[in-house]
Amino acid sequence: MILELDCGNSLIKWRIITQAGALAEGGLANSEEKLLGDLAALVNNQPQACRLVSVRSAEETDRLVSLLKARFGLSSVCAQPARELAGVRNGYEDYTRLGLDRWLAVVGAYQSAQKACLVIDVGTAITADFIAPDGQHLGGFICPGMPLMRDQLRTHTRKIRYGDESVVASLYGQSPGRSTIEAVERGCMLMLRGFIRGQLEIAHEYWRDDFETFLTGGDAGLVCEQIPGARLVPDLVFAGLALACPILR
């Protein structure tokens, strides 16, 4: 069994897969201790190796690697920046500055499609990346996601105050909001959809209709209906991680 970790800024996504790649277990942890507790509770699927991608500081990542070694005897292989991987050439002027999660999602998408790709990750931040038919990463765009947009309004506007538990009921609907929460949530959704439309327009300018669109990230479900034919791939980063850190036994 192999433990795979995607260590984001706030959450750690984890899964246990077989050597053949079949999913055995998985979940989300909001802290290192929660992750370690989840792993300790596994009965039938204890991992023998670990690979991970982290956008956290080197100190935080090293601490997690040490904890995994101390508690479970796991040796971890960590994804590293690369100029080229699995036929994809990094498009950043300084390739080390491209977020590793973005890079692995780009690699995973191109490896699957083998053609021009638009990769949209809808999470705390929203990223869009463009990959040419020959595997050249052309760069991308970053903007705030739904959590950041609403948090900035609630933080910097005195009279906008509401809890996250009220969000879902107010999010959907095309009509102007008739309460502050409806106005904020629907306004943020319009901005999100406008960003998505902009990325599709750019992709069409590059490749007409001859490209594949991939959607990933925790909020990808909010926009999947807006892009008919898009591939919704929640574990796209893990697809790239397997290519960056092969574990052979």
Side-chain angles (χ1 to χ4, degrees), residues 81-101:
R83 293 186 185 277
E84 185 170 349
L85 176 63
V88 182
R89 297 182 299 284
N90 195 313
Y92 261 31
E93 294 177 359
D94 178 357
Y95 74 94
T96 66
R97 301 293 293 175
L98 178 61
L100 277 171
D101 51 350

Side-chain angles (χ1 to χ4, degrees), residues 35-209:
L35 171 67
L36 296 174
D38 289 344
L39 296 178
L42 296 176
V43 176
N44 298 317
N45 295 307
Q46 286 290 342
Q48 289 79 48
C50 173
R51 58 185 167 216
L52 67 87
V53 55
S54 175
V55 298
R56 301 182 175 195
S57 69
E59 293 77 14
E60 290 174 300
T61 303
D62 289 345
R63 182 177 65 243
L64 178 57
V65 167
S66 297
L67 287 169
L68 290 169
K69 183 67 173 178
R71 296 211 188 174
F72 304 106
L74 284 175
S75 296
S76 300
V77 182
C78 302
Q80 301 295 327
R83 293 186 185 277
E84 185 170 349
L85 176 63
V88 182
R89 297 182 299 284
N90 195 313
Y92 261 31
E93 294 177 359
D94 178 357
Y95 74 94
T96 66
R97 301 293 293 175
L98 178 61
L100 277 171
D101 51 350
R102 280 178 65 193
W103 171 237
L104 295 184
V106 161
V107 170
Y110 184 77
Q111 184 69 17
S112 174
Q114 293 294 306
K115 63 187 296 186
C117 299
L118 168 61
V119 179
I120 301 174
D121 188 332
V122 189
T124 303
I126 306 169
T127 62
D129 285 281
F130 298 79
I131 309 98
D134 64 354
Q136 178 63 54
H137 173 232
L138 304 178
F141 299 92
I142 305 173
C143 77
M146 292 291 287
L148 285 178
M149 285 191 279
R150 72 168 64 95
D151 286 351
Q152 285 298 301
L153 284 169
R154 289 189 294 197
T155 300
H156 297 288
T157 308
R158 289 180 182 273
K159 292 188 176 181
I160 295 181
R161 297 287 185 272
Y162 57 87
D164 289 341
E165 68 279 358
S166 307
V167 166
V168 174
S170 304
L171 191 59
Y172 298 99
Q174 299 295 318
S175 60
R178 299 186 65 184
S179 65
T180 298
I181 184 173
E182 287 184 352
V184 169
E185 292 301 318
R186 294 177 188 179
C188 290
M189 178 64 81
L190 285 173
M191 293 186 72
L192 170 57
R193 290 175 174 170
F195 178 83
I196 298 294
R197 283 196 299 271
Q199 308 315 301
L200 290 170
E201 289 170 1
I202 293 170
H204 281 292
E205 289 175 4
Y206 276 135
W207 308 302
R208 297 185 181 274
D209 293 325

